[in-house]
Amino acid sequence: MLIPHPLLGLRDSQEFTYLGDAALMNRPDPATPDAEAVFCDYVFLRDNPAGVHRELWFHEQGDRSWLVVTRDTTTHEILGAELASDVKGAAK
């Protein structure tokens, strides 16, 4: 599986470590009244979607950047990749 790194071009997926759902970048606010329950859900509950999904991948054997990869989990087709810092910055 090849991942289109936004800075380095196509890279083999073996250079990367998969973390999980890109929604992990949206940490819950610890100051909310139900913070403990929300944080438990954030840490322990995960969806297992079939179809297009946004995931976090770490370029461990390369430039050590974090990417948000859009991938179809049923076919493993990579639909795109962005630097996680750009995605997080755009969400602000």
Side-chain angles (χ1 to χ4, degrees):
M1 188 167 60
L2 296 176
I3 295 177
H5 194 293
L7 302 175
L8 304 174
L10 289 177
R11 311 301 300 175
D12 191 292
S13 63
Q14 292 182 5
E15 296 180 11
F16 294 82
T17 300
Y18 170 80
L19 176 65
D21 190 343
L24 291 173
M25 293 191 313
N26 304 320
R27 292 183 65 131
D29 182 356
T32 61
D34 61 345
E36 183 176 354
V38 172
F39 199 76
C40 283
D41 289 350
Y42 169 81
V43 171
F44 297 111
L45 298 181
R46 298 280 186 268
D47 291 332
N48 189 14
V52 177
H53 185 60
R54 291 169 51 90
E55 306 167 330
L56 283 171
W57 290 72
F58 179 61
H59 197 194
E60 184 173 17
Q61 297 178 13
D63 68 347
R64 305 189 65 76
S65 60
W66 283 95
L67 301 182
V68 174
V69 175
T70 303
R71 180 174 71 94
D72 187 325
T73 60
T74 57
T75 64
H76 298 295
E77 178 185 8
I78 302 286
L79 304 171
E82 309 166 78
L83 292 172
S85 59
D86 291 347
V87 172
K88 186 67 173 172
K92 288 183 179 179

